[in-house]
Amino acid sequence: MQRGRSGRNGSWMMIAALASALLVSAAAQAQSTPTGDAAPAQDNTIMITIFFKHDQSRPLGELNAQLERQGFYKAFPPEGVEVVSWYVMMGAGQVVTLRLPASRLREVNRVIENSAWGAYRTEFYPTYDYKAVGIGKHDKAKQ
């Protein structure tokens, strides 16, 4: 979902993303018990992947200065929100996956709206840990 200039549609899309995240979280817990190094989620915990797309019309130094002025790295991620992964996709931006209580989703969204917009365009994706299941299926298929 793209955020930024969408106004009212962005709010509805965020509500839809939250509903999807809650449904995906419930479905993921119902699928199978994680094995291996996959950590089971707590009852109210969700994961969300955020794609921070760089504004490629501006140089990186200018983007970093804007992020600093807006307090991005001071505010993101909010205290108590777990960073599962944080990668740079060369030529595109950054991809961050967070694990957090569902009740804190709005807080994470507000931090991004207040500190990242302008330097980044953002997209949000409900996420769940499938690694153990995928590897298990791969191992079983090789037998």
Side-chain angles (χ1 to χ4, degrees), residues 3-143:
R3 300 286 312 229
R5 300 179 197 155
S6 58
R8 182 181 265 177
N9 283 343
S11 297
W12 284 108
M13 294 179 95
M14 182 53 74
I15 291 168
L18 174 59
S20 295
L22 294 174
L23 288 173
V24 166
S25 177
Q29 288 178 1
Q31 276 184 0
S32 64
T33 304
T35 59
D37 60 357
Q42 297 173 7
D43 291 340
N44 68 343
T45 301
I46 62 170
M47 289 190 349
I48 186 163
T49 297
I50 306 163
F51 187 3
F52 293 98
K53 290 184 172 184
H54 291 135
D55 176 354
Q56 294 183 6
S57 70
R58 299 167 50 205
L60 183 60
E62 188 178 311
L63 296 174
N64 285 333
Q66 179 176 358
L67 290 169
E68 187 175 328
R69 278 192 314 275
Q70 294 174 181
F72 176 71
Y73 290 107
K74 186 175 184 177
F76 183 84
E79 193 168 323
V81 170
E82 178 188 354
V83 175
V84 176
S85 63
W86 192 327
Y87 295 100
V88 170
M89 290 177 58
M90 292 176 14
Q94 298 181 27
V95 179
V96 180
T97 299
L98 303 175
R99 181 177 290 119
L100 60 142
S103 62
R104 297 196 59 200
L105 183 62
R106 182 180 188 278
E107 175 187 356
V108 169
N109 182 56
R110 293 291 297 176
V111 165
I112 292 167
E113 288 175 340
N114 289 326
S115 65
W117 282 6
Y120 295 119
R121 290 175 47 130
T122 55
E123 296 179 11
F124 300 84
Y125 301 95
T127 307
Y128 61 95
D129 187 349
Y130 194 72
K131 180 180 178 181
V133 175
I135 290 173
K137 289 181 182 227
H138 172 73
D139 291 345
K140 184 177 179 182
K142 288 182 6 182
Q143 293 177 354

